[in-house]
Amino acid sequence: MAETEGKPQVLLFPFLAQGHIIPFLALALELEQTKKYNITILNTPLNIKNLRSSLPPNSSITLLEFPFTSSDHGLPPDTENTSAIPYHLVIRLIEASATLKPAFKNLVQNILAQKQKHKLFIIADIFYGWTATVAKELRVFHVIFSVCGAYGLACYYSLWVNLPHKCPGSAQRLVDSNEDQFILPDFPEARAIHRTQLPSNISEADVTDAWTMFQQKNLPEWVDSNGVLFNTVEEFDFVGLGYFKRKLGRPAWPIGPLLLSAGSGTLGKGGGIYTEWLNTKASKSVLFVNFGSMNTISASQMMGLGKALERSGKNFIWVVRPPIGFEINSKFREEWLPEGFGERIRESGKGLVVHDWVPQVEILSHFAVSTFLSHCGWNSVLESLSQGVPILGWPMAAEQFYNCKLLEEEVGVCVEVARGKSSEVKYEDIVAKIELVMDETEKGVMMRKKAGDIRDMIRDAVKDEDGFKGSSVRAMDEFLSAAGSHVPGGEKKIHLKE
Ligand SMILES: *[C@@H]1O[C@H](CO)[C@@H](O)[C@H](O)[C@H]1NC(C)=O
Ligand SMILES: *[C@@H]1O[C@H](CO)[C@@H](O)[C@H](O)[C@H]1NC(C)=O
Ligand SMILES: *[C@@H]1O[C@H](CO)[C@@H](O)[C@H](O)[C@H]1NC(C)=O
Ligand SMILES: *[C@@H]1O[C@H](CO)[C@@H](O)[C@H](O)[C@H]1NC(C)=O
């Protein structure tokens, strides 16, 4: 007990979604390694229950739950994360999470009654701008932790704060023109964005919809924070980091990649069958296809992709979720794939079709895997790049379009194969892109080399040995030192322009 007494207390508060909770847990575990902090993760009861089973048994991290009853917010009973609800209710879950404000404020006040202000700091989610406002009022050091990359989030942030694009008379009518492409007024470095790269909740936004109402309150509250942590690496994401430094007049610290290593908690189990299968394949001969736990494609896209995988003649592991229109957890039906597909790939031994969770890191790190066909969710991107695996991008929602854009246009480790959940895809086009990336084409060779360079870059960023500190290690040091030396009210002295 005495050991943690007097240690600064850190509160970590992720949004109610697996893709947010996992990187927050990885960050908490990294902070725990320093042995300098008393760490608490905040969430709602069901997510805490789940977190408890993922926490290593020897961990000293405290899990603290706020009372939350989903049915009080027009959500189905016992649903507390985005995987448990259909897509259109995500905004309701976000709105419901803001009702935790009084409980959160109360907790912070209680801690302050026992501890000095400089002995407490808060790390909160991008959807919890309101926590920054509470922290500012109570004069506590606060940072946002973005589980998204900086470039992707910069495009996303810029789009929202420059809305309403359909609002009559708006000074910056972004997309309400006849142009197919436009430049973000405060982020021209990102160059042209195409209208098909707008997530539906942005392209459908008007002044009164729930998403607009939420984001136009949430995002501006970030200036009440003392900085933003990013699960990213400076060397390939500096453009987006620059945007936030300029926009918020606050530091943006790239501390990634924060990934849960295989073997921790419930993760990393059950890799056996995949490893066995992959062991029988030649080096860099397998395409891994997985759109993440929250995303799926249309029935006709799924048919097209199935046909393309077969025609390409490549080995593949494909994690198939029910197409749009079916419950995400409903039972697999053969008719979703081309006729005889399952039988043919079993006979040829070319493919493995999977319907449940897969040990993604383990698969990506296997020598037989060549390329990852991914929705470009940021956690998947980091897992792929950490293993030096190039990406065939199929972005579907939120900032995934801009992650894909960054990887293709700036970093050179990705080719976009399709866009969105409703576009028409021709299987011939998918085959051509698969061949472009996986075969000995000039582009393919270059991408593999580049992906290997990025893997090395990532290894260097987290290196802390023989007096060498990588960029992510230095950013973490700078952040912790800013948190430790924070003088309440002192942030006024920070100059808003560099
Ligand atoms: C660490 O934080 C938890 C949660 O607030 C608290 O219950 C505990 O007393 C703290 N431990 C120490 C030693 O300060
Ligand atoms: C999300 O909630 C469901 C129950 O509603 C639960 O089964 C699942 O484990 C939760 N996921 C996470 C990541 O907490
Ligand atoms: C828990 O055990 C693991 C494995 O032995 C070790 O790497 C980690 O540092 C330990 N964590 C703590 C907080 O002691
Ligand atoms: C709407 O925005 C949220 C928040 O970024 C995102 O999670 C969701 O995927 C978006 N929905 C669509 C349909 O793009």
Side-chain angles (χ1 to χ4, degrees):
M1 238 338 189
E3 200 201 319
T4 45
E5 235 154 70
K7 285 181 180 178
Q9 175 128 15
V10 188
L11 302 180
L12 292 105
F13 193 7
F15 177 58
L16 320 176
Q18 170 154 330
H20 292 235
I21 291 173
I22 298 226
F24 267 80
L25 175 59
L27 173 56
L29 290 168
E30 180 145 326
L31 290 174
E32 184 184 28
Q33 290 296 321
T34 68
K35 300 192 167 41
K36 288 184 185 150
Y37 304 99
N38 182 4
I39 299 162
T40 304
I41 303 180
L42 312 173
N43 226 277
T44 58
L46 287 179
N47 293 317
I48 290 289
K49 190 166 161 236
N50 213 43
L51 262 168
R52 186 156 285 130
S53 64
S54 321
L55 213 54
N58 61 348
S59 175
S60 66
I61 294 171
T62 307
L63 301 175
L64 195 145
E65 58 185 56
F66 291 131
F68 182 82
T69 308
S70 58
S71 48
D72 290 352
H73 305 281
L75 293 162
D78 298 328
T79 52
E80 298 184 8
N81 61 58
T82 52
S83 339
I85 54 171
Y87 225 83
H88 67 277
L89 291 179
V90 169
I91 182 65
R92 204 169 287 170
L93 185 66
I94 293 178
E95 289 166 344
S97 66
T99 64
L100 300 173
K101 185 172 177 174
F104 172 78
K105 187 169 177 183
N106 207 8
L107 171 74
V108 175
Q109 281 171 321
N110 283 342
I111 297 171
L112 289 177
Q114 301 154 21
K115 272 191 191 292
Q116 292 153 300
K117 284 182 173 42
H118 68 275
K119 289 279 194 171
L120 169 65
F121 61 96
I122 295 163
I123 303 177
D125 201 273
I126 60 170
F127 287 142
Y128 296 161
W130 52 269
T131 60
T133 309
V134 170
K136 189 181 179 189
E137 186 191 330
L138 301 177
R139 312 180 103 202
V140 172
F141 190 84
H142 175 287
V143 292
I144 305 258
F145 174 39
S146 166
V147 302
C148 306
Y151 182 99
L153 193 67
C155 294
Y156 187 77
Y157 187 102
S158 170
L159 278 164
W160 278 116
V161 298
N162 288 299
L163 283 175
H165 54 259
K166 287 182 183 165
C167 177
S170 157
Q172 285 150 334
R173 290 160 59 124
L174 285 183
V175 283
D176 194 16
S177 67
N178 295 322
E179 304 294 322
D180 276 339
Q181 309 203 41
F182 55 90
I183 303 279
L184 293 166
D186 59 355
F187 193 32
E189 306 97 300
R191 298 198 293 262
I193 306 244
H194 196 270
R195 58 166 77 231
T196 54
Q197 287 175 305
L198 293 176
S200 54
N201 50 22
I202 290 184
S203 63
E204 286 159 14
D206 56 31
V207 210
T208 58
D209 66 284
W211 273 105
T212 306
M213 305 278 272
F214 170 74
Q215 292 293 23
Q216 294 211 335
K217 178 164 184 339
N218 173 47
L219 300 176
E221 287 190 297
W222 291 19
V223 293
D224 289 339
S225 192
N226 297 92
V228 189
L229 300 172
F230 281 95
N231 192 9
T232 197
V233 173
E234 177 163 33
E235 280 78 359
F236 61 79
D237 206 4
F238 52 90
V239 176
L241 292 164
Y243 173 83
F244 283 104
K245 288 181 203 166
R246 185 172 76 215
K247 190 79 190 170
L248 303 175
R250 298 279 180 274
W253 292 289
I255 56 166
L258 291 159
L259 302 170
L260 280 192
S261 50
S264 49
T266 50
L267 298 160
K269 278 183 197 155
I273 52 164
Y274 303 100
T275 311
E276 246 167 62
W277 187 84
L278 286 166
N279 282 344
T280 67
K281 303 297 175 201
S283 169
K284 297 213 184 302
S285 71
V286 177
L287 177 63
F288 174 48
V289 186
N290 187 5
F291 299 129
S293 55
M294 268 194 71
N295 290 289
T296 189
I297 50 183
S298 73
S300 78
Q301 288 177 331
M302 190 172 284
M303 250 337 146
L305 177 56
K307 204 160 165 188
L309 290 173
E310 249 189 312
R311 296 293 168 94
S312 75
K314 306 291 185 215
N315 298 316
F316 63 87
I317 295 179
W318 183 11
V319 184
V320 178
R321 314 238 173 241
I324 291 171
F326 293 86
E327 277 288 314
I328 196 89
N329 296 317
S330 61
K331 206 173 163 300
F332 176 74
R333 302 189 199 174
E334 294 277 345
E335 76 226 34
W336 290 333
L337 301 179
E339 206 175 334
F341 183 87
E343 215 167 290
R344 284 194 300 279
I345 62 162
R346 261 190 304 279
E347 260 162 37
S348 66
K350 285 255 178 214
L352 212 52
V353 172
V354 188
H355 309 299
D356 32 47
W357 183 86
V358 294
Q360 179 157 295
V361 175
E362 227 166 306
I363 292 174
L364 286 168
S365 63
H366 197 281
F367 68 83
V369 171
S370 154
T371 303
F372 185 15
L373 175 44
S374 165
H375 67 308
C376 298
W378 195 246
N379 291 326
S380 288
V381 166
L382 291 176
E383 287 175 357
S384 198
L385 296 183
S386 297
Q387 302 300 332
V389 174
I391 294 172
L392 275 162
W394 189 329
M396 300 185 183
E399 36 49 273
Q400 293 156 16
F401 300 97
Y402 322 117
N403 295 341
C404 185
K405 181 173 157 70
L406 166 74
L407 298 174
E408 180 160 9
E409 293 175 12
E410 311 289 332
V411 188
V413 292
C414 174
V415 165
E416 189 176 30
V417 63
R419 189 177 284 173
K421 301 175 188 175
S422 56
S423 62
E424 216 178 295
V425 297
K426 289 210 194 82
Y427 80 87
E428 301 94 323
D429 293 345
I430 305 182
V431 173
K433 299 249 167 92
I434 291 175
E435 286 171 352
L436 178 69
V437 175
M438 291 182 71
D439 288 351
E440 292 304 305
T441 64
E442 196 183 325
K443 176 88 184 170
V445 171
M446 216 170 66
M447 275 177 72
R448 284 193 288 276
K449 174 170 183 315
K450 190 81 207 188
D453 293 347
I454 296 289
R455 177 196 54 213
D456 297 344
M457 202 181 257
I458 291 175
R459 285 187 186 160
D460 282 347
V462 296
K463 203 178 272 177
D464 186 2
E465 57 190 42
D466 308 330
F468 174 87
K469 277 181 193 279
S471 55
S472 293
V473 178
R474 275 183 277 123
M476 183 69 100
D477 285 354
E478 281 167 25
F479 152 61
L480 290 174
S481 124
S485 60
H486 175 64
V487 183
E491 59 275 355
K492 288 199 195 82
K493 290 189 213 109
I494 294 173
H495 296 292
L496 282 179
K497 286 271 179 304
E498 276 168 59

